[in-house]
Amino acid sequence: MNRLDSLRPPLAATAALPLSFAAIALLLTACGTERTDAGHSDTSTAVPSSSAQVDDPGKDGVRVTSLTFASTAPAPTKSSPVSADGLGSDSGISAAYEVTNKSDETLTYSIVFTFMSRDGGAMANQTATVRDVGPGKTVRGTVRAGGLPPATPRVTQAKVLEVTKVPAGEAPAEPGTCPGSGIRVSTDQGDAAMGLRVVGLHLENCGTQPYTVEGYPLLELLDKDRKPVHGVKILDGSGEITTGAGPDEQPRPVTLGPGESATAGLVWRNTTESGTPVNVPYVRVRAKAGAAPVTVTPNLDLGTTGKLGVKPWDKAEP
């Protein structure tokens, strides 16, 4: 899943696009039941629509099958007003898609869709999460383009921009749920400046008992096929890489009560010199020895440096 391309930088996701759009997460089960976020559950502003078939070859088992256009844009409502930057809550444009799992394990997919004008310019990128797709199963869903400025060129196309997929049992927990382990592990959008990259790991105790970690998160670097990446040295601390990420603190026990969180940091440079650049789409994270693994997708563009610095767990401020 990681990615510093022009449409969706791996560290900033869609926030770095020239146009800023709220990501719409569409969560599905393997049987095809869909749930949209609350901001798009109101059907009181529904308007007549038309649809067009899409000739999309797709990517990694995901393809767009049709586009739907509202005959007029929905009017703003009290629950979904026009934002300060002039974006409406919903343009009335959506794309139907299908996900086919051709592997022999149950997978959770994260998919970036791009809505484009006739000349191929990206008008909006949106993300859908499709959970627990069983082997050989096909799940169908819909993703909306979201709000578009009045001067935006007409959207005429949609396609799959990026697909990442992880074993369902290792996927980050769905927002608002707590896994059996009692902890949630996730990454943030990160920060990039002058070739220095920093991505935060977040550990939240969503259970009912205290949870203690000490030292560094345990990492496995995985390639696009989720196979181990060799030749990268994982360092304790970031001092060998930069002093710009703050001093290296000594690891110490961190006990999290229910609802409390800790953070750790991944630090690297994407310098490219002689040799083959290394990209790491997936990182399997264990909060500590014996913890259940969670596979995240920070898309580490390590260049040819061969180094990744890891900061120890530190309790997050309330």
Side-chain angles (χ1 to χ4, degrees), residues 186-210:
S186 61
T187 58
D188 58 30
Q189 295 179 346
D191 187 28
M194 300 297 290
L196 179 65
R197 311 290 202 233
V198 180
V199 164
L201 289 177
H202 299 265
L203 173 66
E204 180 186 355
N205 181 358
C206 57
T208 59
Q209 301 297 321

Side-chain angles (χ1 to χ4, degrees), residues 243-288:
T243 59
D248 285 337
E249 302 290 345
Q250 289 299 311
R252 60 184 183 274
V254 176
T255 298
L256 303 176
E260 293 184 322
S261 301
T263 60
L266 308 182
V267 183
W268 74 98
R269 291 192 180 277
N270 73 331
T271 306
T272 300
E273 295 177 348
S274 60
T276 302
V278 174
N279 293 302
V280 178
Y282 301 91
V283 178
R284 183 177 285 128
V285 181
R286 287 177 172 83
K288 61 182 179 180

Side-chain angles (χ1 to χ4, degrees), residues 25-305:
L26 179 64
L27 306 178
L28 306 175
T29 65
C31 64
T33 301
E34 69 178 79
R35 183 181 70 196
T36 59
D37 59 51
H40 293 273
S41 60
D42 182 7
T43 59
S44 62
T45 57
V47 294
S49 61
S50 62
S51 62
Q53 296 300 306
V54 174
D55 184 17
D56 175 30
K59 180 178 293 188
D60 292 338
V62 183
R63 71 185 188 96
V64 174
T65 56
S66 66
L67 267 176
T68 297
F69 308 90
S71 58
T72 59
T77 66
K78 183 178 296 185
S79 62
S80 55
V82 173
S83 63
D85 59 8
L87 300 182
S89 62
D90 194 337
S91 63
I93 301 170
S94 63
Y97 64 88
E98 62 181 26
V99 180
T100 300
N101 182 359
K102 300 177 182 179
S103 76
D104 57 1
E105 61 182 331
T106 301
L107 299 173
T108 288
Y109 292 72
S110 181
I111 310 155
V112 180
F113 297 90
T114 184
F115 292 82
M116 302 174 294
S117 61
R118 187 177 302 278
D119 64 3
M123 300 296 102
N125 282 5
Q126 300 293 3
T127 300
T129 299
V130 185
R131 294 184 177 272
D132 303 335
V133 184
K137 300 294 185 180
T138 295
V139 171
R140 296 174 177 85
T142 303
V143 62
R144 299 179 184 180
L148 301 174
T152 300
R154 182 171 180 267
V155 171
T156 63
Q157 310 173 62
K159 71 175 183 179
V160 178
L161 183 62
E162 181 180 345
V163 178
T164 54
K165 48 194 176 183
V166 302
E170 296 184 11
E174 181 180 349
T177 67
C178 189
S181 64
I183 62 169
R184 280 196 289 257
V185 176
S186 61
T187 58
D188 58 30
Q189 295 179 346
D191 187 28
M194 300 297 290
L196 179 65
R197 311 290 202 233
V198 180
V199 164
L201 289 177
H202 299 265
L203 173 66
E204 180 186 355
N205 181 358
C206 57
T208 59
Q209 301 297 321
Y211 190 86
T212 299
V213 290
E214 181 176 2
Y216 304 88
L218 305 178
L219 309 181
E220 295 178 71
L221 307 184
L222 306 176
D223 65 14
K224 61 182 180 60
D225 298 315
R226 301 195 307 280
K227 302 298 183 184
V229 172
H230 302 289
V232 177
K233 186 177 181 180
I234 299 178
L235 307 171
D236 290 345
S238 60
E240 289 190 37
I241 297 172
T242 181
T243 59
D248 285 337
E249 302 290 345
Q250 289 299 311
R252 60 184 183 274
V254 176
T255 298
L256 303 176
E260 293 184 322
S261 301
T263 60
L266 308 182
V267 183
W268 74 98
R269 291 192 180 277
N270 73 331
T271 306
T272 300
E273 295 177 348
S274 60
T276 302
V278 174
N279 293 302
V280 178
Y282 301 91
V283 178
R284 183 177 285 128
V285 181
R286 287 177 172 83
K288 61 182 179 180
V294 176
T295 299
V296 296
T297 55
N299 290 310
L300 311 179
D301 57 337
L302 300 179
T304 56
T305 61

